[in-house]
Amino acid sequence: MGPLSRDAWAQRLGAFRASPSAFMAGPEGEDLGRDLLGDLRSEKLSEQTKVSLLALSLEYPAQLWPDVSAAEVAATSLLDTLVLLPPRPSALRRPLLLAATTALAAGGSLGPTSGASCRLLPLLLGLAAGSDLGRGFVPASEQRPLQATACECLRELESCKPGLLGGSLGLLRGLLGQEGPVQPLSLLLALALRNTLVLQSRVGAGLGGLLTDKVPPTGGGPWDWTLVEEGDGRLQPQAPSWPAAEEGEGERSLTAREHSPEEARELRAAVIQLLDTSYLLTPVAQAQLLWLLGWALRGLQGQPPALFKPQLVRLLGTAQLTLLHAVLALKAAFGEALFTAQDEALLLRRLTLAAQHPALPPPTHLFYLHCLLSFPENWPLGPEGEEAAPLLLGPQLCRGLLPSLLHDPMALLARLHLLCLLCAEDEEEEKGQLPSPRHYLEELLAGLRQRAALDEGPRALATVCFQASYLVTRCLAGQPTVLTPLIHGLAQLYRVRPMLASHFVDFLDQVDSELREPLKVVLRQEVVSRPGRDEALCWHLKMLAKVADGDAQSATLNFLQAAAAHCTNWDLQQGLLRVCRALLRAGVRGGLVDLLQVLARQLEDPDGRDHARLYYILLAHLAGPKLGVALGPSLAPPALASSLVAENQGFVAALMVQEAPALVRLSVGSHGVKGPLPVLKLQLEALEPIYSLELRFRVEGQLYAPLEAVHVPCLCPGRPARPLLLPLQPRCPAPARLDVHALYTTSTGLTCHAHLPPLFVNFADLFLPFPKPPGGAGLGFFEELWDSCLPEGAESRVWCPLGPQGLEGLVSHHLEPFVVVAQPPTSYYVAIHLPPNSKLLLRLEAALADGVPVALRTDDWAVLPLAGDYLRGLAAAL
Amino acid sequence: MAQRAVWLISHEPGTPLCGTVRFSRRYPTVEKRARVFNGASYVPIPEDGPFLKALLFELRLLDDDKDFVESRDSCSRINKTSIYGLLIGGEELWPVVAFLKNDIIYACVPLVEQTLSPRPPLISVSGVSQGFEFLFGIQDFLYSGQKNDSELNTKLSQLPDLLLQACPFGTLLDANLKNSLDNTNFASVTQPQKQPAWKTGTYKGKPQVSISITEKVKSMQYDKQGIADTWQVVGTVTCKCDLEGIMPNVTISLNLPTNGSPLQDILVHPCVTSLDSAILTSSSIDAMDDSAFSGPYKFPLTPPLESFNLCYYTSQVPVPPILGFYQLKEEEVQLRITINLKLHESVKNNFEFCEAHIPFYNRGPITHLEYKTSFGQLEVFREKSLLIWIIGQKFPKSMEISLSGTVTFGAKSHEKQPFDPICIGETAYLKLHFRILDYTLTGCYADQHSVQVFASGKPKISAYRKLISSDYYIWNSKAPAPVTYGSLLL
């Protein structure tokens, strides 16, 4: 594509600026960066258009060249364009330098391996030094402005890569001493000096000859990146840890390093040089210089803060926000070392007058007021980080800073805060003062309420009234002399303008219970003492839903009953039901049952009737605590911001059974044989306290009769539970898998359902002994059983491997209860009853070292493979 | 100390968005530092559209304050400075410095060189004051001498180039954008050495110095037991020094006559090189006594090229220039008003104009008026429910004038009659508007001998003075009125 026309570019840039992200996602997005670089060299475009292209690249390099390599390519291209400019004055040199700097710094490719960086840095330093770069590179008329621009570019690069100019300190100092442009060089030198001090002290090195070496670091050779690399590319904040300034990490390392007397002298000379010419800088630049130098020298040995003193008187007299702010920064950095108690008092007075000076704009007043309440005192008393009136700021000084109804909301709140602080301090001694600040505060709040009560008043008037009340409760908590009239005033405000109910609800949500509880009482009183049929009914219901509780039940119910007849639309009915709900939660039962019944019948809206019926059913069926949980705030975050949805989700959470991960662990315990049926002994362990646990079992394949559920009233983690006995009624003698489900209530009142891992009933778990024959008749009894198995049954011989414990061990461990005849250690006859009605008979005789042949008979064919597997597995099972 | 972005937004109530972004500028290198410094708490600068919406919402400038919105109206969302947190896409962009002036919202986001959670105190963020200064600078540039919308548009279109000079990388170099304009225009002038950064060129021509003192007097008069009337003079001294040389030294003195009222709360321009401690410490905070410093107030300075405000001061004169008395009573369907005004004998009785505005808030249009005045004419603005008593150039010999009458109002219609949250019921005020040329209430003056110039050639000195009323209220003494704490201290 050939170069675009001026208009096409204007249109394209306009589209891009309207929404950069949309433009970049569109078809033209991809090519924009490339086209821009290409067209900068087009001869068809005017310089003005090219400047607008460069302006775009100054603002949006990340969109135009989104990765490091693209940024590097762009910077290279911009530098090429710069070099190729014909040797006549051009409006492009300055923006090209700025654009190349921005591309490198913002694109992240600034570094020793970047070719563009290695070209740009020496070029900038050369320009800053005013050196002759040859070939008419800089027309004479542009030299001065470009020198300043180069300094600005270097300063930006130094900000992004601290230490970059560490090697050029001496050069910059020299330039500042000669005819270089004062402001750009001063700021650049101050920044480079600050960064070098921090970095050098971190590695424990001194400044060395850095401040005196006047040879540029390039000297024809490569740029020196050592200091940058030592700094790890970490950025340096200007005021590292204000206000907790005392023990900042950076600080300590800075103070740790002592400079040699020579270094200290040079450093002091450089700082004095910078400060002495600082009046030549614009006020904002002076402020930057002071911030930089102040925090750089803080705690540095041999650098008395008194260096700053000559500047202070001049600065204190000005109205400039940045300058006074910079003085405050010096105050925070040096404290008593620079400001005596008298100086501190003077600074406070200047700040106080600036915070109310009619000649300054309101945003400035507010910022100064903030500075007053965050004033860096020499000896602060209060807790750090909290706004407080400085000790020296007495009532006399504050007089002009107190609020009045004529102030705009922000000024009013800011000044009100100060007034509250005064009231809090003057609790005891205020009797002598006329007028008392507290009385004034009361009058002011009353005035604010009066304004909020205006029918036509904008919402902002109400908002500021509640904000002021909130501020007062925050600052003056625990002072009944303030809070009591506040409560009554607010109740009165509600009486006059119930449509502020939303503000009241919000206010009740925010304040402490010290104010909330009494305010709730008077507000409830306000609502229920009304006939319940005025046009503000919706607000009353909203209010009542917030303040209704177990107290004053009958008045509340009377009000609701009266109101019900007037709740003719859906909104009002929902409002009414919300109050019922609040009462339900509060545990009100008696009269509420009747009311809900009436509502369930009478409300016009079917939705309202359903709701009322639901509440009625809940009230009738749920115990108090469960009801509280069911109606409590929804546990699940609502998918829609609708209260109804939220409410339904709350019900779902509270009343439905929740699927939950298993909070119970179940395992089969040791096998015991007692009674006529096999019994599974289960061990229970809970991970959290749970209540009303019900375990349900299901036998897969219906091998056994259905199992009864097991109930456990409560289970706590760490407290051992008694083993549960689960009797099995096999329909055939086979092992089985039991599916287990648990149903329980958590301590939060939710009912949960969990699927537990299945339990396995082994073949051996079904073994029951035959009734013991009378003494000595064992052999006969056994032979009888043995013979009875055939011919219907089956016979087999199985090799049962023996472990090191031998036959005796095997029998005593596994078969002991079933042995009928024993001739230890060589021969055992075993008879096992397998419910419902099978038998398994074993003869274990003539054991060898590694196994024993087992003759077995059973009257049930199906048992044979199970018995074989069982016997073969015994040795391993031990 | 840098800005991440700056915006100018025109507030257009009644339009769908309620505003338009007229200008914006982002600083990507600063943004990159913000990302590193802020770490996990970093919130990127949004595009113009979402920013506009969030800012107008926060400043309550959208047309939708009908309903309570918690994120804006909650009592715990207290803002006590012009620095805001904006909710954008679920994240909070902070700190946003912003204020509305003349239907333009000025906004910028200063860089905070640390994590934002917890938020550092504003006082420790160097970029905040710079941000304010930046926005004030833009405001001064846009409104200095600007008269209409097309001029404003021209100036807005100049901003991108100007900021390339005054704030190329987000760190403000000069809040006075006019300097940058001159810089762009005279880039070819080779600057000599040690040129101050705030002075972009040198003056060539006849040396002259002009000093003009403007005093504004404000007052709150109640005519009530237990509430003191208050009044205060606020002075602004503006200078223009057309002198040759790079850094001519000038000393300007302000003088008071023997019975003049001392100047207090003096704030000076940064070009003033040193200040007498008596000037620095004279303050309205202290109780007045006879030992108060009463001048001459000397200001040694190196003037900039353009006109500048040398200093601001306040003063407490012994009596208000015009003492007023206003009574308003509601009598069934009408209001009865009585007004007395008395010019103090020490005040120059030669006004450029003098008017008393008598507004009636929260009422319908004026339907009927009967009045009697001892002096001047009365103009009636029926729809606006406003009376203007034109007193003219001089008070009569007696120095005392009066107006009395009855006013009847029609039914209220919300669109036309003004609403006021303070003037409810009988609470009402009248406001005086007047101007006296070649006069100051304090007596403060500058003359030929007040200026010392250490430069070649004797300059022509011209001095001007004027007194203007500003917020000069006289409250109905028969009803409650808003008071300041100061007026309760008798």
Side-chain angles (χ1 to χ4, degrees):
Chain A
M1 190 166 70
L4 291 170
S5 69
R6 190 188 63 177
D7 292 342
W9 265 116
Q11 205 175 4
R12 214 171 166 192
L13 297 188
F16 177 88
R17 282 185 180 277
S19 173
S21 58
F23 186 91
M24 294 313 284
E28 286 190 88
E30 208 177 318
D31 300 333
L32 184 64
R34 208 189 47 220
D35 293 352
L36 190 150
L37 291 175
D39 281 9
L40 282 176
R41 294 187 208 166
S42 150
E43 288 176 9
K44 289 183 184 152
L45 288 181
S46 67
E47 280 202 337
Q48 192 49 45
T49 306
K50 289 182 185 177
V51 170
S52 68
L53 297 187
L54 287 170
L56 190 80
S57 79
L58 286 174
E59 282 195 71
Y60 295 99
Q63 283 79 357
L64 296 172
W65 308 300
D67 54 57
V68 176
S69 59
E72 170 77 14
V73 170
T76 308
S77 168
L78 290 166
L79 284 172
D80 290 343
T81 309
L82 178 67
V83 174
L84 290 173
L85 285 179
R88 57 168 186 264
S90 161
L92 292 180
R93 286 195 179 83
R94 236 180 76 79
L96 276 170
L97 281 177
L98 298 174
T101 304
T102 304
L104 280 179
S109 70
L110 182 64
T113 56
S114 141
S117 307
C118 297
R119 280 174 68 193
L120 180 65
L121 284 167
L123 173 67
L124 290 174
L125 198 62
L127 284 170
S131 347
D132 179 19
L133 296 170
R135 291 180 292 115
F137 181 75
V138 181
S141 65
E142 273 186 67
Q143 184 157 10
R144 201 79 183 175
L146 279 187
Q147 195 175 3
T149 303
C151 289
E152 294 309 330
C153 292
L154 284 172
R155 185 150 70 103
E156 199 59 20
L157 294 173
E158 171 75 30
S159 298
C160 293
K161 278 269 185 285
L164 199 60
L165 291 168
S168 313
L169 288 176
L171 174 76
L172 294 174
R173 235 187 114 193
L175 287 171
L176 186 60
Q178 299 154 21
E179 80 266 27
V182 181
Q183 176 163 311
L185 280 169
S186 292
L187 292 177
L188 179 58
L189 176 59
L191 179 69
L193 183 62
R194 195 276 309 261
N195 285 350
T196 308
L197 281 172
V198 175
L199 291 172
Q200 292 291 64
S201 64
R202 189 171 292 158
V203 294
L207 280 172
L210 286 176
L211 274 169
T212 40
D213 293 343
K214 301 228 158 119
V215 189
T218 45
W223 192 269
D224 182 6
W225 293 87
T226 30
L227 205 54
V228 175
E229 279 153 10
E230 277 166 6
D232 233 1
R234 259 202 283 176
L235 299 182
Q236 301 300 331
Q238 260 169 358
S241 45
W242 186 17
E246 289 322 308
E247 297 307 329
E249 185 209 338
E251 250 47 41
R252 206 177 299 164
S253 59
L254 195 59
T255 54
R257 169 73 204 165
E258 273 184 40
H259 291 271
S260 73
E262 229 159 290
E263 286 172 357
R265 198 166 48 243
E266 281 303 324
L267 180 59
R268 190 156 59 238
V271 171
I272 290 175
Q273 185 184 5
L274 284 167
L275 289 175
D276 278 354
T277 50
S278 69
Y279 71 97
L280 293 170
L281 275 51
T282 61
V284 284
Q286 287 182 40
Q288 286 168 49
L289 191 77
L290 292 172
W291 276 85
L292 281 171
L293 293 180
W295 286 86
L297 296 194
R298 183 172 179 268
L300 217 53
Q301 297 209 347
Q303 305 300 329
L307 292 179
F308 292 98
K309 217 134 204 180
Q311 309 295 327
L312 287 180
V313 176
R314 182 173 68 84
L315 298 174
L316 278 179
T318 74
Q320 288 275 331
L321 188 58
T322 41
L323 289 177
L324 215 46
H325 195 195
V327 172
L328 287 169
L330 288 177
K331 176 80 176 60
F334 296 111
E336 219 184 4
L338 184 57
F339 289 81
T340 61
Q342 286 82 0
D343 295 339
E344 187 176 54
L346 176 64
L347 178 55
L348 261 177
R349 294 167 71 87
R350 293 299 294 183
L351 209 51
T352 309
L353 87 86
Q356 56 187 304
H357 203 291
L360 299 180
T364 310
H365 289 159
L366 295 176
F367 185 68
Y368 283 140
L369 210 53
H370 164 80
C371 290
L372 266 180
L373 295 188
S374 312
F375 186 76
E377 291 182 270
N378 283 349
W379 300 104
L381 287 177
E384 210 161 76
E386 223 167 79
E387 288 195 322
L391 201 63
L392 292 172
L393 187 79
Q396 168 82 9
L397 275 184
C398 290
R399 214 180 258 178
L401 289 176
L402 297 185
S404 101
L405 286 177
L406 297 166
H407 287 115
D408 69 73
M410 276 203 289
L412 185 125
L413 291 169
R415 287 162 168 251
L416 179 69
H417 190 187
L418 186 66
L419 176 60
C420 289
L421 293 172
L422 277 187
C423 291
E425 270 175 21
D426 281 11
E427 207 176 340
E428 305 91 32
E429 50 188 294
E430 75 167 28
K431 288 207 180 68
Q433 284 185 44
L434 267 176
S436 99
R438 189 166 301 162
H439 179 72
Y440 185 68
L441 174 70
E442 238 167 73
E443 296 273 295
L444 185 76
L445 288 174
L448 285 171
R449 287 192 296 265
Q450 197 187 11
R451 286 200 319 192
L454 290 178
D455 267 344
E456 301 156 59
R459 184 166 297 280
L461 288 180
T463 304
V464 75
C465 169
F466 283 91
Q467 287 178 336
S469 306
Y470 176 70
L471 196 59
V472 170
T473 62
R474 284 278 305 278
C475 297
L476 299 174
Q479 299 205 10
T481 46
V482 177
L483 298 190
T484 311
L486 180 66
I487 289 169
H488 289 288
L490 286 173
Q492 203 178 3
L493 173 61
Y494 183 77
R495 189 181 311 149
V496 184
R497 208 175 175 208
M499 68 162 289
L500 298 180
S502 302
H503 288 274
F504 279 96
V505 170
D506 168 64
F507 187 72
L508 286 167
D509 281 337
Q510 304 293 341
V511 296
D512 288 342
S513 59
E514 182 198 6
L515 185 78
R516 184 171 55 235
E517 294 313 321
L519 182 59
K520 270 171 106 168
V521 172
V522 293
L523 286 173
R524 188 178 54 228
Q525 189 58 36
E526 272 311 316
V527 175
V528 300
S529 61
R530 294 173 182 250
R533 58 167 179 273
D534 57 15
E535 63 272 27
L537 185 57
C538 65
W539 305 119
H540 295 327
L541 292 172
K542 187 178 176 77
M543 194 73 246
L544 204 52
K546 180 76 198 169
V547 299
D549 56 24
D551 301 334
Q553 287 180 24
S554 62
T556 308
L557 288 169
N558 286 343
F559 172 82
L560 291 177
Q561 257 146 12
H566 303 278
C567 289
T568 45
N569 63 33
W570 187 86
D571 273 349
L572 287 173
Q573 291 175 13
Q574 292 302 317
L576 185 68
L577 288 162
R578 267 192 289 275
V579 184
C580 294
R581 184 192 154 108
L583 291 171
L584 274 174
R585 281 191 65 195
V588 176
R589 303 186 84 92
L592 189 58
V593 179
D594 303 335
L595 177 65
L596 285 172
Q597 252 180 331
V598 171
L599 293 181
R601 270 200 314 272
Q602 284 183 355
L603 287 183
E604 283 168 30
D605 186 80
D607 185 33
R609 285 200 302 273
D610 286 351
H611 246 91
R613 195 168 301 119
L614 172 65
Y615 289 156
Y616 174 73
I617 293 169
L618 290 175
L619 182 59
H621 288 83
L622 294 184
K626 182 81 183 174
L627 197 58
V629 174
L631 296 166
S634 167
L635 296 169
L640 289 168
S642 141
S643 65
L644 268 185
V645 172
E647 174 169 277
N648 284 343
Q649 287 186 351
F651 281 143
V652 169
L655 297 183
M656 307 275 289
V657 176
Q658 304 280 300
E659 275 309 321
L663 291 179
V664 204
R665 214 175 283 147
L666 194 59
S667 54
V668 181
S670 62
H671 184 82
V673 185
K674 264 181 205 153
L677 285 174
V679 174
L680 221 47
K681 206 191 248 176
L682 301 177
Q683 281 300 333
L684 262 179
E685 197 189 335
L687 304 176
E688 273 176 30
I690 56 177
Y691 306 92
S692 309
L693 172 66
E694 178 176 310
L695 291 169
R696 295 176 184 166
F697 304 90
R698 196 177 61 81
V699 191
E700 285 188 1
Q702 301 190 331
L703 295 169
Y704 310 152
L707 299 175
E708 293 278 317
V710 176
H711 296 272
V712 182
C714 114
L715 208 54
C716 286
R719 203 181 303 162
R722 276 193 303 146
L724 293 180
L725 300 178
L726 182 69
L728 303 173
Q729 284 182 291
R731 288 172 172 155
C732 66
R737 210 171 93 125
L738 303 184
D739 232 13
V740 193
H741 295 258
L743 208 60
Y744 55 86
T745 307
T746 63
S747 49
T748 55
L750 287 185
T751 305
C752 296
H753 170 257
H755 203 152
L756 301 185
L759 288 179
F760 292 94
V761 182
N762 296 316
F763 182 52
D765 293 332
L766 302 176
F767 292 3
L768 291 173
F770 279 97
K772 277 260 185 273
L779 186 58
F781 176 65
F782 182 81
E783 291 295 354
E784 204 174 303
L785 288 172
W786 183 261
D787 292 339
S788 71
C789 289
L790 293 178
E792 291 86 7
E795 181 169 18
S796 180
R797 294 188 83 83
V798 177
W799 177 255
C800 173
L802 285 179
Q805 83 281 24
L807 180 61
E808 202 175 358
L810 180 112
V811 170
S812 72
H813 199 270
H814 293 287
L815 298 168
E816 182 71 56
F818 316 110
V819 173
V820 182
V821 182
Q823 285 172 330
T826 54
S827 156
Y828 299 92
Y829 295 179
V830 176
I832 299 168
H833 171 55
L834 289 166
N837 42 29
S838 306
K839 43 188 177 271
L840 174 64
L841 305 169
L842 309 172
R843 288 173 188 262
L844 302 97
E845 281 172 313
L848 300 176
D850 58 344
V852 58
V854 182
L856 66 88
R857 276 189 185 182
T858 169
D859 57 352
D860 185 347
W861 278 90
V863 169
L864 211 54
L866 296 169
D869 289 345
Y870 171 71
L871 288 170
R872 277 189 292 273
L874 278 184
L878 190 71
Chain B
M1 191 184 254
Q3 307 301 313
R4 293 164 61 187
V6 59
W7 290 267
L8 297 184
I9 293 169
S10 56
H11 176 220
E12 295 154 3
T15 61
L17 293 176
C18 294
T20 317
V21 176
R22 301 292 293 270
F23 171 79
S24 72
R25 172 78 158 93
R26 287 162 174 74
Y27 291 102
T29 51
V30 184
E31 192 61 19
K32 194 170 170 71
R33 298 208 287 280
R35 187 175 294 134
V36 177
F37 277 127
N38 299 164
S41 58
Y42 168 75
V43 176
I45 293 290
E47 290 190 1
D48 287 355
F51 180 82
L52 170 77
K53 207 171 145 199
L55 184 65
L56 290 175
F57 174 79
E58 186 64 34
L59 295 179
R60 307 176 161 275
L61 295 176
L62 294 174
D63 296 338
D64 69 341
D65 84 334
K66 293 273 177 298
D67 294 317
F68 176 86
V69 181
E70 194 181 332
S71 60
R72 177 191 61 198
D73 300 321
S74 172
C75 62
S76 59
R77 280 187 64 88
I78 294 176
N79 223 24
K80 296 182 291 175
T81 56
S82 312
I83 295 149
Y84 303 86
L86 300 189
L87 271 179
I88 297 172
E91 295 178 300
E92 193 173 27
L93 181 69
W94 182 89
V96 180
V97 176
F99 58 84
L100 173 73
K101 181 89 192 184
N102 298 331
D103 278 335
I104 299 253
I105 304 164
Y106 299 80
C108 64
V109 181
L111 170 71
V112 179
E113 299 181 325
Q114 64 174 87
T115 175
L116 300 176
S117 75
R119 280 183 187 175
L122 286 171
I123 192 176
S124 71
V125 180
S126 61
V128 168
S129 55
Q130 192 193 58
F132 274 119
E133 215 76 75
F134 194 3
L135 300 178
F136 293 148
I138 297 177
Q139 186 197 329
D140 282 350
F141 170 71
L142 292 183
Y143 282 91
S144 65
Q146 181 251 333
K147 286 176 193 70
N148 55 38
D149 265 7
S150 74
E151 274 181 54
L152 179 69
N153 286 335
T154 312
K155 289 197 164 177
L156 279 170
S157 69
Q158 288 174 324
L159 271 183
D161 283 348
L162 289 186
L163 293 201
L164 218 52
Q165 301 275 341
C167 191
F169 286 114
T171 307
L172 185 61
L173 304 177
D174 191 353
N176 187 346
L177 297 187
K178 260 196 100 254
N179 283 342
S180 303
L181 190 64
D182 297 342
N183 245 339
T184 356
N185 293 346
F186 306 110
S188 57
V189 177
T190 311
Q191 295 171 346
Q193 70 183 86
K194 293 301 171 214
Q195 176 87 10
W198 35 264
K199 190 169 180 181
T200 45
T202 47
Y203 173 77
K204 293 261 182 296
K206 253 175 68 180
Q208 50 190 358
V209 174
S210 106
I211 305 163
S212 89
I213 303 173
T214 305
E215 286 189 350
K216 289 186 175 174
V217 58
K218 27 187 223 169
S219 182
M220 289 285 233
Q221 298 180 22
Y222 302 98
D223 183 32
K224 263 191 197 167
Q225 281 280 315
I227 302 178
D229 295 348
T230 58
W231 58 91
Q232 187 186 32
V233 174
V234 185
T236 305
V237 182
T238 309
C239 294
K240 176 103 168 62
C241 301
D242 294 328
L243 299 168
E244 292 194 340
I246 307 166
M247 289 192 60
N249 282 319
V250 181
T251 299
I252 295 177
S253 312
L254 300 177
N255 303 293
L256 290 178
T258 40
N259 57 348
S261 304
L263 309 187
Q264 301 170 321
D265 301 344
I266 297 168
L267 300 174
V268 298
H269 190 270
C271 74
V272 175
T273 47
S274 68
L275 261 190
D276 194 298
S277 66
I279 294 180
L280 201 57
T281 51
S282 79
S283 151
S284 62
I285 296 163
D286 303 304
M288 284 275 288
D289 57 35
D290 294 340
S291 65
F293 179 65
S294 59
Y297 304 86
K298 284 187 187 300
F299 302 101
L301 59 114
T302 319
L305 275 183
E306 74 280 358
S307 161
F308 64 99
N309 290 329
L310 170 66
C311 73
Y312 305 103
Y313 60 84
T314 71
S315 181
Q316 192 58 62
V317 291
V319 287
I322 298 176
L323 190 64
F325 156 88
Y326 179 27
Q327 284 193 347
L328 177 147
K329 284 290 287 175
E330 234 162 351
E331 289 177 356
E332 292 177 14
V333 293
Q334 61 182 21
L335 292 184
R336 175 169 300 280
I337 57 170
T338 315
I339 300 169
N340 271 300
L341 298 176
K342 183 166 192 259
L343 180 69
H344 193 265
E345 60 209 7
S346 65
V347 178
K348 176 174 169 181
N349 188 3
N350 188 358
F351 291 80
E352 192 180 39
F353 64 87
C354 181
E355 299 172 351
H357 290 217
I358 309 150
F360 301 98
Y361 290 106
N362 312 321
R363 299 176 191 274
I366 296 173
T367 50
H368 185 72
L369 171 74
E370 275 176 37
Y371 73 95
K372 196 174 75 190
T373 171
S374 70
F375 194 79
Q377 306 101 49
L378 196 66
E379 280 187 20
V380 187
F381 296 84
R382 290 178 185 274
E383 285 299 317
K384 288 184 188 163
S385 319
L386 171 73
L387 301 179
I388 297 183
W389 183 12
I390 297 169
I391 297 155
Q393 273 70 45
K394 265 184 186 314
F395 272 62
K397 268 214 173 94
S398 65
M399 298 288 190
E400 212 167 339
I401 57 177
S402 65
L403 168 76
S404 59
T406 54
V407 198
T408 317
F409 299 90
K412 219 183 327 186
S413 79
H414 293 299
E415 297 81 42
K416 286 181 187 151
Q417 281 79 39
F419 169 81
D420 186 276
I422 291 174
C423 295
I424 300 153
E426 292 184 352
T427 297
Y429 63 79
L430 71 84
K431 196 174 173 188
L432 290 182
H433 297 259
F434 57 83
R435 189 195 302 231
I436 307 175
L437 294 182
D438 201 21
Y439 176 73
T440 52
L441 211 52
T442 55
C444 177
Y445 67 93
D447 61 16
Q448 295 281 347
H449 314 289
S450 310
V451 183
Q452 283 176 290
V453 176
F454 307 94
S456 57
K458 190 168 168 55
K460 181 180 166 235
I461 314 282
S462 35
Y464 309 91
R465 299 194 293 173
K466 66 179 172 235
L467 173 72
I468 310 176
S469 71
S470 145
D471 298 336
Y472 205 105
Y473 292 96
I474 296 163
W475 293 90
N476 175 17
S477 53
K478 295 286 178 198
V483 292
T484 59
Y485 188 72
S487 48
L488 298 176
L489 296 165
L490 283 170

